[in-house]
């Protein structure tokens, strides 16, 4: 365990609170000192890559495994349809239909078929790309539009990063919004989770859900309050009451919004943000080693 | 009955605030469906009374009866989701990893594994302050099948709109392009895309519109915080023209959105000036477009 990187996941509950802003700025800040990998796991709408212009090191397709009917071998015993809990395999008269978007790749139909008439084949679901910008490695996957299942792609992307960048000290995950299966997949191997929110009623409501989710996963976590100064103090009060560390308050600023909107990194222009990043990083590294209770 | 879906691709562009404003402008003629079941926030602005609630079950979850388990390891071997592990000499299932495929139960020689229906969340019907009705939901932590809960919320909203003879269903969609978004788009008559003039806003708008095109639904777009980056705003307007998307409005960056929210109000209740005027004319335009669509068919 001692040699694997500290995995810091940046998640939020509510969308648009600043996950990508924090992930890209933190990664670029770390890269000033050492090699680091940033992994964009928001595979439905990956945005981190918009902030970096780097060299493409590697590219590959992402696949999911689905069964394919091998007609001559089929005895129409009906077992495949019976064992599929997702209604992805259907026997219709003398035909077996497979619905790839419903398939969860559990292999039950394929492996339980008595005549091997449903071998698993791979189907493209998107693309993984690996870029390098000096010390910064940036890995992203994007789901092909129309593909619905993000989880297998997220899992595959983490695996790629683990295989290629296990020697680094820090790995950063930019996670999808929400609290459902994609977020669980993106955060479940993290050593520390940063939840970023804004001090508004929507921000607070979704933060409470995100905290509940991370508690279910038993993850150490801290909160970053973005756009601090708008809204009210309810988020701060809530974190204090729940005994959750506030790692930083990033001030509300039109300048930050403008920099972000043009795809620029913020800390390079605003020294105050650089200091906040340094504090956040220190805390995350200590906490992921278990030095902070 | 017309179904109008509001989506954004990117989160945090103001989708829910704008949907809530349309709900107020639509008054008692608009049934609201909050289909952002992952992070549902509409209720914070609509004063719902949670008149009716029901558990939502979807999919299955395996459990192992330790008394019947002979530790043959067959279940763990077939599980593709890494959901079965051995903890203090016992085989156990991690509910967050189990996808409910049921394969393990089928190969268990002693029938020690059973599948139970999985509680995936809760859904509600509420009377809201607009004098209308809202259908909303809360997805359980880490639950799969959010697409199915979205479908449930939408179908209930349709039934209510039909029974109560309402003309409009307003659907607040979720961010992204995955299963909940696909589910909220199915059967819609018009899509309102809410975006912001940033590299991410435009990038996500393009992706989500690719999805909208697959459904062949007519769309309009509201550019929120349009003055934050005039150059990007112009780029978005160019994209809209190219794709024949109706440019409904530019809304300036306005912290009154947040101030309204902290008071539990929509921006059209809170602000009596520019934003209200812009949203009101957008809403009239949307209604017109949706009705015209009817004539064309």
């Amino acid at each position: 365990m001692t040699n694997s990187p500290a995995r810091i996941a940046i998640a939020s509950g509510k969308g648009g609170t600043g996950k990508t802003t924090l992930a890209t700025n933190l990664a670029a800040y770390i890269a000033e000192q050492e090699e680091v990998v940033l992994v964009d796991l928001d595979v439905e709408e990956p945005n981190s890559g918009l902030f970096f212009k780097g060299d493409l090191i590697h590219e590959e397709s992402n696949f999911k495994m689905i069964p394919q009917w091998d007609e001559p071998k089929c005895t129409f015993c009906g077992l495949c349809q019976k064992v599929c809990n997702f209604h992805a395999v259907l026997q219709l008269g003398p035909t077996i239909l497979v619905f790839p978007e419903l398939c969860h790749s559990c292999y039950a139909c394929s492996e339980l078929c008595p005549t091997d008439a449903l071998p698993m084949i791979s189907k493209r679901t998107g693309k993984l790309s690996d870029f390098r910008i000096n010390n910064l490695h940036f890995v992203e996957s994007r789901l092909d539009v129309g593909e619905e299942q993000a989880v297998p792609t997220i899992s595959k992307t983490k695996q790629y990063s683990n295989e290629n960048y296990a020697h680094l000290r820090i790995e950063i995950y930019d996670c999808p919004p929400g609290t459902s299966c994609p977020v669980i997949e993106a955060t479940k191997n993290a050593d520390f989770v940063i939840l970023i929110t804004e001090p508004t009623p929507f921000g607070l409501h979704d933060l409470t859900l995100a905290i509940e989710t991370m508690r279910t996963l038993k993850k150490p976590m801290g909160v970053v309050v973005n756009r601090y100064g708008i809204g009210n103090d309810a988020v701060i009060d809530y974190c204090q009451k729940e005994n959750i560390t506030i790692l930083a308050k990033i001030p509300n600023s039109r300048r930050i919004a403008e920099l972000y909107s043009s795809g620029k990194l913020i800390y390079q222009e605003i020294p105050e943000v650089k200091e906040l990043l340094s504090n956040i990083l220190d805390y995350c590294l200590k906490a992921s080693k278990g030095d902070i209770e | 009955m017309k179904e109008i879906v509001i989506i954004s691709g990117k989160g945090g562009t103001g989708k829910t605030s704008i949907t809530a404003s349309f709900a107020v402008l639509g008054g008692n003629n608009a049934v609201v469906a909050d289909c952002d079941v992952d992070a549902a926030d509409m209720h914070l602005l609509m004063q719902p009374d949670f008149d009716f609630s029901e558990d939502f079950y979807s999919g299955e979850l395996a459990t192992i009866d330790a008394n019947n388990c002979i530790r043959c390891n067959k279940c763990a071997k077939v599980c593709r989701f890494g959901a079965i592990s051995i903890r203090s000499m016992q085989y156990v299932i991690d509910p967050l990893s189990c996808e409910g495929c049921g394969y393990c139960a089928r190969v268990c020689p002693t029938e020690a594994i059973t599948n139970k229906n999985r509680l995936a969340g809760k859904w509600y019907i509420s009377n809201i302050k607009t004098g209308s009705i809202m259908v909303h939901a809360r997805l359980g932590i880490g639950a799969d099948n959010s697409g199915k809960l979205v479908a449930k919320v939408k179908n209930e909203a349709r039934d209510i709109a039909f029974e109560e003879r309402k003309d409009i269903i307003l659907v607040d969609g979720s961010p992204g392009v995955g299963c909940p978004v696909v589910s909220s788009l199915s059967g819609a008559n018009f899509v309102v895309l809410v975006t912001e003039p940033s590299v991410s806003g435009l990038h996500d708008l393009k992706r989500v519109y690719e999805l909208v095109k697959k459904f062949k639904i007519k769309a309009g777009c509201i550019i929120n915080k349009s003055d934050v980056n005039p150059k990007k705003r112009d780029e978005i307007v160019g994209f809209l023209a190219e794709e024949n998307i109706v440019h409904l409005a530019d809304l300036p960056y306005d912290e009154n959105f947040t101030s309204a929210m902290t008071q539990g109000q929509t921006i059209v209740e809170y602000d009596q000036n520019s934003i209200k005027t812009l949203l009101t004319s957008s809403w009239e335009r949307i209604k017109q477009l949706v009705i015209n669509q009817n004539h064309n068919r």
Side-chain angles (χ1 to χ4, degrees):
Chain A
M1 279 304 284
T2 45
N3 288 328
S4 68
R7 296 199 179 95
I8 302 171
I10 300 171
S12 73
K14 177 167 158 41
T17 54
K19 281 182 303 295
T20 300
T21 306
L22 181 58
T24 50
N25 280 275
L26 190 60
Y29 169 74
I30 296 167
E32 289 184 349
Q33 303 294 329
E34 65 182 89
E35 256 184 80
V36 62
V37 58
L38 168 62
V39 189
D40 194 342
L41 297 177
D42 188 0
V43 301
E44 292 182 41
E45 294 284 21
N47 284 152
S48 280
L50 297 167
F51 295 82
F52 302 112
K53 284 193 181 55
D55 302 322
L56 183 64
I57 301 293
H58 176 76
E59 200 171 52
E60 62 186 59
S61 289
N62 289 325
F63 298 101
K64 82 179 212 184
M65 300 303 286
I66 57 164
Q68 188 183 43
W69 187 41
D70 187 351
E71 188 176 350
K73 286 187 176 169
C74 182
T75 61
F76 301 96
C77 69
L79 189 70
C80 51
Q81 173 174 316
K82 204 180 123 202
V83 301
C84 181
N85 269 4
F86 308 108
H87 310 292
V89 186
L90 197 68
Q91 184 175 340
L92 211 69
T95 314
I96 303 290
L97 294 174
V98 174
F99 298 94
E101 65 280 11
L102 298 178
C103 176
H104 284 229
S105 314
C106 75
Y107 285 67
C109 62
S110 180
E111 293 176 353
L112 294 173
C113 173
T115 57
D116 293 328
L118 280 166
M120 297 297 275
I121 57 153
S122 51
K123 174 186 182 292
R124 187 192 141 109
T125 55
K127 189 177 75 178
L128 179 150
S129 317
D130 184 354
F131 299 89
R132 171 127 201 204
I133 312 97
N134 303 319
N135 265 338
L136 177 68
H137 301 274
F138 171 65
V139 179
E140 70 155 34
S141 277
R142 45 185 60 224
L143 211 57
D144 288 340
V145 172
E147 286 297 329
E148 298 187 26
Q149 293 169 6
V151 171
T153 304
I154 294 170
S155 154
K156 160 76 197 306
T157 313
K158 287 191 303 182
Q159 193 191 330
Y160 174 89
S161 176
N162 290 347
E163 280 164 11
N164 292 279
Y165 298 112
H167 60 284
L168 300 182
R169 193 169 71 107
I170 306 168
E171 193 174 2
I172 293 175
Y173 293 160
D174 186 5
C175 298
T179 54
S180 62
C181 41
V183 184
I184 303 290
E185 185 60 39
T187 51
K188 72 181 187 192
N189 312 102
D191 298 301
F192 188 82
V193 178
I194 302 176
L195 296 173
I196 181 158
T197 188
E198 27 174 76
T200 65
F202 287 2
L204 173 62
H205 177 261
D206 298 347
L207 176 69
T208 59
L209 298 179
I211 288 174
E212 212 184 307
T213 308
M214 292 312 140
R215 282 189 172 149
T216 311
L217 290 174
K218 302 191 172 67
K219 292 290 165 196
M221 62 183 142
V223 167
V224 170
V225 182
N226 196 9
R227 302 186 65 208
Y228 182 68
I230 59 163
N232 54 29
D233 284 336
V235 163
I236 309 277
D237 295 344
Y238 178 80
C239 289
Q240 273 162 4
K241 197 184 87 204
E242 294 290 317
N243 212 4
I244 290 165
T245 307
I246 293 177
L247 303 170
K249 297 168 188 163
I250 302 174
N252 182 43
S253 135
R254 196 176 159 114
R255 177 92 186 108
I256 292 179
E258 285 168 358
L259 287 167
Y260 171 81
S261 76
S262 329
K264 288 188 182 129
L265 293 172
I266 289 154
Y267 79 95
Q268 292 168 345
E269 313 266 339
I270 304 177
E272 188 188 345
V273 173
K274 193 168 181 169
E275 209 178 300
L276 294 174
L277 290 175
S278 150
N279 296 342
I280 293 170
L281 181 63
D282 281 351
Y283 189 94
C284 291
L285 289 177
K286 278 185 203 144
S288 48
K289 274 190 264 164
D291 289 352
I292 294 170
E293 191 38 53
Chain B
M1 198 167 77
K2 296 291 176 189
E3 211 169 286
I4 301 166
V5 179
I6 294 95
I7 50 171
S8 63
K10 176 168 163 31
T13 55
K15 177 176 58 64
T16 302
S17 293
I18 288 170
T19 312
S21 298
F22 290 160
V24 168
L25 295 170
N28 67 4
N29 198 18
V31 172
V32 179
D34 188 350
C35 287
D36 189 359
V37 296
D38 229 55
D41 286 331
M42 272 286 269
H43 64 280
L44 297 170
L45 302 179
M46 290 287 113
Q47 290 169 13
D49 65 354
F50 296 87
D51 192 29
F52 172 87
S53 73
E54 194 175 85
D55 286 340
F56 178 75
Y57 288 89
S58 178
E60 295 186 342
L61 179 64
T63 46
I64 301 179
D65 176 1
N67 295 324
N68 287 333
C69 176
I70 55 167
R71 301 186 189 122
C72 67
N73 199 47
K74 279 188 177 148
C75 54
K77 230 165 126 184
V78 300
C79 179
R80 287 297 190 298
F81 310 107
I84 304 178
S85 55
I86 306 164
R87 247 175 261 154
S88 43
M89 300 289 284
Q90 301 227 340
Y91 279 80
V92 288
I93 301 211
D94 169 17
L96 286 172
S97 297
C98 174
E99 299 220 0
C101 69
Y103 195 177
C104 54
R106 291 180 206 284
V107 298
C108 175
T110 59
E111 296 183 5
I113 304 179
T114 44
N115 287 296
K116 294 189 176 125
N117 288 332
R118 185 195 290 255
L119 180 62
K122 229 177 162 95
W123 68 278
Y124 314 90
I125 301 175
S126 290
N127 299 296
I128 51 175
K129 67 179 180 189
T130 62
S132 184
I133 293 163
M134 173 162 89
V135 185
H136 46 134
R138 184 178 168 175
L139 194 68
I141 297 300
D144 195 356
N145 288 324
S146 58
K148 286 189 181 157
L149 185 52
V150 167
K152 175 79 185 166
V153 168
K154 264 184 83 150
N155 287 334
E156 291 295 331
R158 278 176 192 156
D159 287 352
I160 290 167
F162 182 75
E163 277 164 30
E164 309 266 330
R165 298 168 189 277
K166 309 276 190 194
D167 292 325
I168 295 165
I169 302 172
L170 267 176
V171 180
D172 189 10
S174 50
V177 296
C179 76
V181 186
V182 169
S183 193
S184 59
L185 283 173
S186 81
N189 300 95
F190 191 78
V191 173
V192 179
L193 302 156
V194 180
T195 191
E196 59 176 39
S198 66
V199 285
S200 329
L202 178 57
H203 170 268
D204 294 357
L205 173 70
K206 285 181 175 169
R207 265 173 76 80
V208 82
Y209 187 64
E210 234 182 282
L211 186 65
V212 172
K213 275 206 277 196
K214 285 183 199 269
F215 282 85
K216 300 192 170 63
I217 311 170
K218 179 81 187 153
C221 179
I222 293 177
I223 307 176
N224 196 8
K225 310 172 200 170
S226 59
D227 51 341
V228 164
N229 188 330
K231 222 178 96 202
K232 275 281 165 244
R233 179 260 172 205
D234 293 347
E235 244 178 85
I236 292 172
V237 172
F239 171 74
L240 299 181
E242 237 168 71
E243 294 286 351
N244 212 4
I245 301 168
V246 182
H247 181 192
L248 295 164
D250 279 351
L251 303 182
Y253 178 84
D254 190 338
E255 290 185 1
N256 277 339
F257 267 101
T258 310
S259 312
M261 194 197 289
T262 53
Q263 316 235 340
Q265 284 186 349
T266 61
I267 185 81
V268 292
E269 294 164 286
Y270 184 86
D271 170 281
Q272 294 305 323
N273 300 311
S274 60
I275 302 262
K276 182 180 182 175
T277 313
L278 288 165
L279 281 174
T280 307
S281 60
S282 300
W283 177 238
E284 292 306 321
R285 185 86 194 280
I286 292 165
K287 281 197 292 188
Q288 230 175 34
L289 287 164
V290 172
I291 292 161
N292 281 344
Q293 199 182 33
N294 208 18
H295 290 307
N296 294 341
R297 274 185 189 171

